[in-house]
């Protein structure tokens, strides 16, 4: 993913990657050479002591975000961190408080926020184009446990850590569940108030272990959700979804319309069924003006020109819901999102009901 960051930050005028940091020296050297990065450090403390940078992008594995970000927060420099912010809500909250208390620009790379279709869908829902949300359906489908299109998970460390709880992974729920939960709740402008989640880690190897990796992290989950405002929704994700490399779909059905967004392999679309079309089930494609990607939004925020959204706080709120999913799955029952952080309303749509 650091390669993606390097490519997309390089496209921003005036933005230059001045150093790379990785504990794996060979990988670091190859990365810096590929992207023409002049300095490299195998120790984060050394990079911090050097200090000749304006902001940091943290693309370490999920379990490493916490320790590295807490150190970086002491520098007072803006931080762009990969999702999920941390493996647990408590760590995500600590990270949030560390940056907020110092007034540090902070943002999490929930990168689908940088899709034109997602921003337009949210705008339509907030304007009341579909009325009040009643029902949502959201899916995030991958198939890297079945196909070899992204490499071989049996031998590659970058996939093995994703399959192991002891290595800080919260499974498909933590990895992409956070994206689809953000996607659904951001577009609908509604936060979850109660959830019921089931998840599974299927057997994948002898003894369900490969080397140091116990393969116990969930690889499929299904969740039913009630949102504030009363809408019900189903959200699910899997790494076993043959035929889909990286696909998302969200449908929001309201009191007088519906919208549907899809994304697959960097292609995306949005369609709407509203007005007189609700009587004929006619869907119309919606034009979506370009929007800045998350990398551009972060740099704009560093330069003081834009809010850094989605923030660490938003990611911590999502993490709270993910933690509750584990609780729900273990107890086999639904749980309310009542003891969580104060959730900021995502949108304040004023919706006129039809007579
Ligand atoms: N936003 C998205 O769409 C998206 C997509 C893919 C991955 N990600 C996220 O990006 C992060 C990285 O994923 P990846 O697939 O690139 O993982 P990866 O395992 O391929 O790469 C992680 C790199 O971090 C290095 N590293 C480990 N510990 C370190 C430390 N203490 N200090 C410095 N470097 C350290 C590793 O050596 C490795 O090179 C994860 O949090 C993942 O969830 C986000």
């Amino acid at each position: 993913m650091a390669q993606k960051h390097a490519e997309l930050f390089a496209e921003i005028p005036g933005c230059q990657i001045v150093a790379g940091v990785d504990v794996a020296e060979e990988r670091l050297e190859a990365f810096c050479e590929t992207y023409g990065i002049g300095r490299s450090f195998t120790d984060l403390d050394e990079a911090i002591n050097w200090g000749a940078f304006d902001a940091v992008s943290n693309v370490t594995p999920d379990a490493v975000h916490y320790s590295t970000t807490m150190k970086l927060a002491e520098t007072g420099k803006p931080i762009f961190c990969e999702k999920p912010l941390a493996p647990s809500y408590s760590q995500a909250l600590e990270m949030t408080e560390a940056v907020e208390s110092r007034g540090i620009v902070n943002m999490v790379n929930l990168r689908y926020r940088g899709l034109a279709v997602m921003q337009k869908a949210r705008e339509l829902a907030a304007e009341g184009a579909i009325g009040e949300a009643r029902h949502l359906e959201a899916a995030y489908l991958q198939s890297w446990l079945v196909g070899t299109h992204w490499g071989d998970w049996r031998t590659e460390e970058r996939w093995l850590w994703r399959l192991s709880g002891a290595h800080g992974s919260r499974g498909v729920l933590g990895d992409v569940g956070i994206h689809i939960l953000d996607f659904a709740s951001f577009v609908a402008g509604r936060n979850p108030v109660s959830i019921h989640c089931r998840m599974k880690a299927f057997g994948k190897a002898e003894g369900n272990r490969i080397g140091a990796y116990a393969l116990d992290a969930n690889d499929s989950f299904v969740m039913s959700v009630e949102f504030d405002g009363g809408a019900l929704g189903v959200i699910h994700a899997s790494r076993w979804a043959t035929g889909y490399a990286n696909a998302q779909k969200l449908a929001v059905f309201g009191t007088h319309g519906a919208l549907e967004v899809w994304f697959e392999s960097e292609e995306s679309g949005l369609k709407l069924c509203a007005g007189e079309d609700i009587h004929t089930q006619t869907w119309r494609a919606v034009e979506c003006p370009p929007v800045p990607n998350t990398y551009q939004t972060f740099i704009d925020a560093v330069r003081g020109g834009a809010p850094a959204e989605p923030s660490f706080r938003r990611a911590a709120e999502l993490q709270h819901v993910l933690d509750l999913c584990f609780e729900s799955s273990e107890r086999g029952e639904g749980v309310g999102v009542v003891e969580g952080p104060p959730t900021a309303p995502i949108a304040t749509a004023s919706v006129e009901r039809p007579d």
Side-chain angles (χ1 to χ4, degrees):
M1 192 57 186
Q3 289 151 358
K4 194 94 192 152
H5 283 232
E7 281 159 24
L8 293 171
F9 279 123
E11 285 177 8
I12 301 170
C15 174
Q16 192 195 350
I17 299 190
V18 290
V21 184
D22 196 312
V23 289
E25 196 168 358
E26 248 177 62
R27 201 149 47 209
L28 173 65
E29 293 313 324
F31 175 77
C32 289
E33 198 182 319
T34 304
Y35 296 101
I37 299 166
R39 305 290 295 238
S40 59
F41 300 91
T42 50
D43 184 314
L44 180 58
D45 291 324
E46 278 175 27
I48 289 173
N49 289 338
W50 168 65
F53 55 94
D54 300 313
V56 183
S57 185
N58 188 346
V59 206
T60 56
D62 302 358
V64 183
H65 294 173
Y66 171 80
S67 57
T68 46
T69 297
M70 292 302 279
K71 252 184 204 175
L72 288 163
E74 286 170 25
T75 68
K77 299 192 185 193
I79 307 172
F80 186 62
C81 186
E82 265 304 341
K83 47 50 54 177
L85 189 53
S88 70
Y89 171 56
S90 60
Q91 286 191 338
L93 189 60
E94 241 187 279
M95 292 159 77
T96 302
E97 286 167 355
V99 291
E100 286 182 351
S101 62
R102 294 175 171 97
I104 294 172
V105 172
N106 62 91
M107 191 170 148
V108 172
N109 193 23
L110 291 165
R111 74 178 180 101
Y112 300 100
R113 290 286 191 105
L115 291 182
V117 286
M118 188 167 175
Q119 293 294 335
K120 185 68 186 175
R122 179 209 159 95
E123 190 186 307
L124 288 171
E127 282 168 355
I130 61 167
E132 267 186 42
R134 287 285 190 256
H135 192 89
L136 280 85
E137 189 186 353
Y140 197 136
L141 303 176
Q142 297 185 329
S143 59
W144 55 268
L145 285 175
V146 189
T148 53
H149 44 284
W150 287 350
D152 186 354
W153 58 265
R154 293 167 189 82
T155 53
E156 293 177 26
E157 194 188 323
R158 66 196 170 118
W159 302 117
L160 285 167
W161 69 250
R162 283 175 163 81
L163 297 171
S164 172
H167 289 80
S169 174
R170 313 282 343 247
V172 68
L173 181 72
D175 192 18
V176 303
I178 191 159
H179 276 307
I180 196 68
L181 190 61
D182 181 59
F183 203 141
S185 52
F186 175 74
V187 168
R190 299 292 181 189
N191 285 308
V193 292
S194 72
I195 47 167
H196 194 153
C197 185
R198 293 187 71 181
M199 61 183 86
K200 268 193 178 182
F202 290 85
K204 291 180 274 294
E206 207 185 321
N208 219 17
R209 167 176 285 279
I210 293 179
Y213 298 90
L215 309 181
D216 55 356
N218 62 84
D219 32 44
S220 263
F221 77 81
V222 289
M223 183 195 314
S224 66
V225 185
E226 181 170 352
F227 293 88
D228 59 44
L232 294 180
V234 265
I235 301 180
H236 66 108
S238 183
R239 294 167 168 169
W240 295 102
T242 302
Y244 296 95
N246 192 47
Q248 292 167 47
K249 187 188 136 182
L250 167 68
V252 186
F253 304 97
T255 47
H256 53 267
L259 57 82
E260 197 172 299
V261 196
W262 63 270
F263 170 88
E264 190 172 358
S265 307
E266 306 305 321
E267 300 280 310
S268 57
L270 167 64
K271 60 183 187 175
L272 178 71
C273 178
E276 290 307 303
D277 288 341
I278 62 174
H279 307 296
T280 54
Q281 297 75 51
T282 304
W283 292 87
R284 293 178 199 275
V286 178
E287 281 279 310
C288 302
V291 299
N293 63 29
T294 45
Y295 308 87
Q296 179 72 60
T297 299
F298 174 65
I299 296 300
D300 289 347
V302 171
R303 288 171 171 157
E309 280 294 338
S311 63
F312 276 27
R313 185 153 293 275
R314 166 69 176 165
E317 287 171 358
L318 293 167
Q319 197 62 49
H320 175 60
V321 178
L322 297 189
D323 280 10
L324 292 176
C325 286
F326 282 89
E327 195 182 315
S328 166
S329 191
E330 273 154 30
R331 289 185 2 204
E333 58 189 36
V335 293
V337 190
V338 282
E339 301 297 331
T343 43
I346 309 173
T348 47
S350 79
V351 176
E352 281 183 21
R353 286 163 183 273
D355 291 334

